[in-house]
Amino acid sequence: MLNEILLTIAALQGRALAQSCPSLSASYPAPSVASGYEARLVATGLTKPRGIIFDNKNNLLVVERGVGVTSFTVSGTGSCVSLQNKKTVVGDNTLNHGIEVSDDGKTLYASSMESVLKYEYDSNGQSVKGDGKVIVSGMTTEDTVTRTLLLSKKKKNTLLVSRGSDENIDLSTVDINNGQSQIRIFDPSKSDVDYEQGTTLAWGLRNAVGVAENPKDGGVWSAENNADNIERDGFEIHENNPAEELNYHGIASDADNPLMNRNYGYPLCYGVWNVSEIPSAGTLQVGQQFAIAEANATTQDAFCRNDREAPRLVFQPHTSPLDLKFDSKGENLYVSLHGSWNREDPVGYSVSVIKFGSDGQPTEGSTSTSALTPILGNSNTTACPENCFRPAGLAWDRNGRLYMTSDSTGEIYVITKSDGKALDASAPSASAAPSKGYSVAGVVIAALTTVFAYFL
Ligand SMILES: *[C@@H]1O[C@H](CO)[C@@H](O)[C@H](O)[C@H]1NC(C)=O
Ligand SMILES: *[C@@H]1O[C@H](CO)[C@@H](O)[C@H](O)[C@H]1NC(C)=O
Ligand SMILES: *[C@@H]1O[C@H](CO)[C@@H](O)[C@H](O)[C@H]1NC(C)=O
C-alpha cells in the first residue's frame, strides 16, 4: 500500500516536471554528462548555428550559417531554460561564424569569409538600424571560412580577428605579409581596413578558430586546428599527430607584450602528440614541435624548437577545438570540440574544461596529454559524425549557464552544475537560485543521460 502511494507520488511528480520543464529530444543517443554537471537540449531546428553570444539584456544572439544573426529571449531557472521569441536580427546569408556585441549593447559585429561587419544594434528590440558597415575586408580564401572575432574587455577599441590558411598545408603562410593563418588586431571604429593592414598579434597558426581573453589578466589564448594527412620523412603519421594546440599570445592590451608578432610554427612545425609514431623522433617530447620535411626532418626540429613558439598545451589530434570561453574569474577555460574526420576512431565531439591557476596559466604542464576534462559528450562516438551532435559556439548568460551550439544538428544545449546550479558561480546574477522543483528535474536528467564513463 505504502509502495503504491509512493509510486503514485513519483508518477505525479514526473508529470508535474514534464509540464514545468518541457524537454526536447534529440535523434541520437542521450549525451554523456560528467558527474556533477547537467545538460539540457533547449533549441532545435536552427540552420548550422555557429558563434553565439548574449547581449547586455541577456538575449541570446546566434549566427546561423547561411541565414544571418537570429535572437532568442531566455527564461527559466536552473537548467530548465526556455528560448523563445525567435527573431531575425540580420538577414545575411554570407555571415557564417564570428559574433561580438559591445558591453553597452549598442554595437553588433559579425563576420563572413570576406569581411567583418558592424551594426547599430538595439538590445531592447533585438534589431539593427540600417545596413552593416564593413570594418575589415579582403579575407576571402579557398579553404577555411571562419573569421573569429574577439572584442578585448581590457583595452577599448580592440578587435581581434583570426583567419586561417588557404589549404591544409599552405606554404604561402611562411610570409607574414600573406595575412593568412594569423590573428590581427583592428580598431573597430575605423571603416573598411584591409586584413593585411591589421597589427599582427600572432602568425603561423593554421586555423586558430577559438580565441579568448582571460578576465584575470587579459592574456589572450587561441585554439589551433592542426593539419590533416601529415607525413614525416615520407611516412604517414596522421592518426595520432600533430596535436591540436592551445597557444598563448600574452596580454594583447600590454604595449610591451613580449609575445607580440610571434610565429607559432605552421606550416613548417607541428605539435607532438604521440612521440612513438614519429620517425626519427630523437629527443622530441609531447608538446614540442616537429618539422615535416620529406627528408632529414630531424635536423629541422631544432629550428622548430628555437625559432618558433611552442604550444602551451596540446590536445588529441583531430578533436577540432572551435570555441574557448573563460569563466568570470579565469579559473576554468571551456572548449568546444567539433570532432574528427581524419582518423579511424572518431574523437572530440564534446565540451571539455581546462583548469587555470592564479598565475593566469593552465595548471597542467605543456607535456600533459590530459589537460582536457570532458563534461558533455556523445555517448556513442562510433556513430559520429552522422549520429552525433557537434559542438561549435559557446556563450555565457548572466546567470552563469553555458550554452553550446551544435551546427550539424541545428541545436543549442545549456550546461549547468548539478541541480541547475550555475556553472560559473561568479557570474553577475548566478545567485538567482534555481527553484526546488528543478533540483528534482536535475536528478531526472542525470538519470536520462549516460553517466560519464566512455569518454576516453
Ligand atoms: C601512440 O602510438 C603507439 C604506437 O603506435 C600506440 O600504441 C599508442 O596507442 C599511441 N597512443 C596515443 C595516445 O595515441
Ligand atoms: C640528409 O642527410 C644525409 C646524411 O647527412 C645527406 O647525405 C643528404 O643529402 C640529406 N638530404 C637532404 C635532402 O638534405
Ligand atoms: C554505436 O554506433 C554504432 C555505429 O552506428 C552502432 O553500430 C552501435 O551499435 C552503437 N552502439 C551502441 C551501444 O548503441
Side-chain angles (χ1 to χ4, degrees), residues 294-297 299-300:
E294 295 207 341
N296 297 350
T299 59
Q300 295 178 35

Side-chain angles (χ1 to χ4, degrees), residues 162-393:
S162 175
R163 181 187 183 207
S165 62
D166 214 354
E167 55 185 317
N168 184 31
I169 297 171
D170 185 347
L171 294 176
S172 70
T173 61
V174 293
D175 176 7
I176 192 171
N177 296 317
N178 125 315
Q180 286 169 193
S181 295
Q182 303 184 349
I183 299 173
R184 293 207 179 207
I185 305 173
F186 297 87
D187 176 349
S189 67
K190 300 213 168 121
S191 295
D192 207 358
V193 176
D194 195 88
Y195 189 79
E196 287 162 36
Q197 304 302 311
T199 304
T200 311
L201 172 63
W203 58 301
L205 296 164
R206 180 173 172 275
N207 193 18
V209 184
V211 187
E213 185 181 59
N214 190 335
K216 184 182 288 283
D217 61 2
V220 174
W221 297 82
S222 75
E224 182 176 3
N225 288 252
N226 229 331
D228 303 306
N229 297 321
I230 282 284
E231 295 180 8
R232 165 150 154 140
D233 282 351
F235 291 95
E236 179 75 54
I237 61 166
H238 78 264
E239 193 78 3
N240 295 309
N241 287 292
E244 311 288 43
E245 302 182 9
L246 183 72
N247 289 302
Y248 180 52
H249 306 298
I251 296 166
S253 54
D254 179 350
D256 302 319
N257 176 14
L259 292 174
M260 190 79 187
N261 207 15
R262 286 288 179 89
N263 186 300
Y264 289 74
Y266 177 83
L268 303 176
C269 306
Y270 295 86
V272 174
W273 179 259
N274 190 325
V275 181
S276 63
E277 290 183 351
I278 297 178
S280 317
T283 60
L284 284 174
Q285 38 172 329
V286 175
Q288 292 183 330
Q289 298 202 81
F290 63 93
I292 58 158
E294 295 207 341
N296 297 350
T298 319
T299 59
Q300 295 178 35
D301 291 342
F303 165 82
C304 294
R305 192 162 50 247
N306 301 328
D307 293 38
R308 294 294 183 250
E309 206 58 43
R312 178 57 183 81
L313 286 178
V314 286
F315 310 141
Q316 185 171 18
H318 311 299
T319 47
S320 305
L322 290 195
D323 205 354
L324 296 174
K325 287 287 180 307
F326 280 99
D327 60 12
S328 53
K329 284 187 161 170
E331 292 169 344
N332 296 286
L333 177 61
Y334 293 86
V335 189
S336 59
L337 300 154
H338 198 235
S340 63
W341 63 268
N342 192 223
R343 78 190 306 279
E344 201 155 312
D345 296 323
V347 292
Y349 298 97
S350 57
V351 175
S352 289
V353 61
I354 300 168
K355 288 271 166 226
F356 269 66
S358 53
D359 59 353
Q361 295 288 315
T363 55
E364 289 285 301
S366 61
T367 58
S368 172
T369 54
S370 54
L372 291 176
T373 304
I375 59 177
L376 172 68
N378 284 275
S379 50
N380 184 5
T381 51
T382 319
C384 299
E386 292 80 15
N387 207 18
C388 293
F389 66 88
R390 301 194 75 172

Side-chain angles (χ1 to χ4, degrees), residues 89-92 95 106-108 116-121 127-135 191:
V89 180
V90 180
D92 178 346
L95 300 181
K106 290 183 176 162
T107 313
L108 173 68
V116 180
L117 293 131
K118 176 169 92 170
Y119 305 85
E120 201 178 312
Y121 176 64
S127 60
V128 293
K129 200 188 275 177
D131 291 333
K133 283 199 182 67
V134 172
I135 56 172
S191 295

Side-chain angles (χ1 to χ4, degrees), residues 70-92:
T70 54
S71 69
F72 295 85
T73 57
V74 181
S75 57
T77 50
S79 70
C80 192
V81 166
S82 168
L83 299 184
Q84 285 161 333
N85 306 317
K86 184 174 178 179
K87 270 186 78 169
T88 300
V89 180
V90 180
D92 178 346

